[in-house]
Amino acid sequence: MVQLLREHGRLVRGGLIDSADQKWTFLIYFTEYGSALVACARFERRVERSPL
């Protein structure tokens, strides 16, 4: 993802999307005007519970 952003070399618009089951978060980057996807990444969400 970082390499693609560097190669693009222009302004981008970024955003986050959480999956419906809350297990994944997607980090997305579009061109400045939102006309094309430049790069994306998927991250697994881990929830740590506090001990009672």
Side-chain angles (χ1 to χ4, degrees), residues 11-50:
L11 293 176
V12 294
R13 291 180 182 251
L16 293 171
I17 299 173
D18 293 325
S19 64
D21 61 7
Q22 299 293 309
K23 291 184 179 180
W24 301 96
T25 295
F26 297 86
L27 179 58
I28 56 174
Y29 290 99
F30 290 94
T31 56
E32 182 178 7
Y33 299 106
S35 60
L37 181 66
V38 176
C40 65
R42 179 182 76 172
F43 300 95
E44 185 175 9
R45 296 180 67 181
R46 295 186 181 171
V47 178
E48 294 185 24
R49 297 186 180 168
S50 300

Side-chain angles (χ1 to χ4, degrees), residues 1-19:
M1 179 183 75
V2 173
Q3 181 178 349
L4 291 171
L5 290 169
R6 285 182 181 155
E7 289 174 4
H8 182 66
R10 296 187 197 143
L11 293 176
V12 294
R13 291 180 182 251
L16 293 171
I17 299 173
D18 293 325
S19 64

